[in-house]
Amino acid sequence: MLAAPILIFLFAPGFVDEGGKYDLATSMLRLTFPYIFFISLTALAGSILNTYGRFGVPAFTPVFMKSLPDRFCAVWLAPHMEEPVMALAWGVFLSGVVQLLFQFPFLRRLHLLPGHVGAARMRGCAR
């Protein structure tokens, strides 16, 4: 995320004077910002499942936000990092990925995941 330094400057201008905080905040923003992409796709997948009457999966998905990745990273990853707080940023990133991946098998069962369509299966492409 190229605009991370600018965003940190706009939203936390006091960090600019303290180089360590500014660099750390920039690194954390770069790591956590993709969460918005993953959670948006998770919401889309959940709404698709809801239209097919599968309400349990989207309702259970947020459990992964505060249970598995965050705690795993805080307990196991933080002691091994130079900046332990970065483990929480990794936890946010991983929780977005896990929430999206959790819904994939349920979408696949409904045949709603796009797959590879070989030329042999496409009528207009066969020779």
Side-chain angles (χ1 to χ4, degrees):
M1 191 170 122
L2 298 174
I6 297 167
L7 289 173
I8 296 299
F9 177 75
L10 290 174
F11 290 104
F15 285 3
V16 175
D17 297 333
E18 301 177 31
K21 279 187 180 180
Y22 180 75
D23 293 338
L24 182 62
T26 302
S27 298
M28 290 180 74
L29 180 60
R30 284 185 175 138
L31 192 55
T32 58
F33 197 78
Y35 174 79
I36 296 171
F37 172 72
F38 292 121
I39 203 64
S40 298
L41 290 178
T42 300
L44 176 65
S47 63
I48 292 169
L49 289 169
N50 281 337
T51 61
Y52 282 87
R54 310 294 167 117
F55 302 107
V57 175
F60 184 75
T61 300
V63 169
F64 293 113
M65 175 58 189
K66 290 296 174 193
S67 60
L68 302 177
D70 281 353
R71 293 183 188 187
F72 170 78
C73 289
V75 173
W76 299 103
L77 187 60
H80 304 288
M81 298 192 76
E82 185 178 326
E83 289 286 345
V85 74
M86 285 296 289
L88 295 177
W90 276 106
V92 169
F93 177 81
L94 290 175
S95 66
V97 173
V98 168
Q99 287 181 71
L100 180 60
L101 293 178
F102 174 71
Q103 294 187 0
F104 276 7
F106 301 97
L107 290 170
R108 185 172 300 282
R109 279 190 214 143
L110 295 171
H111 304 288
L112 296 173
L113 278 181
H116 176 69
V117 179
R121 291 182 48 197
M122 296 176 67
R123 297 176 193 214
C125 294
R127 292 184 192 203

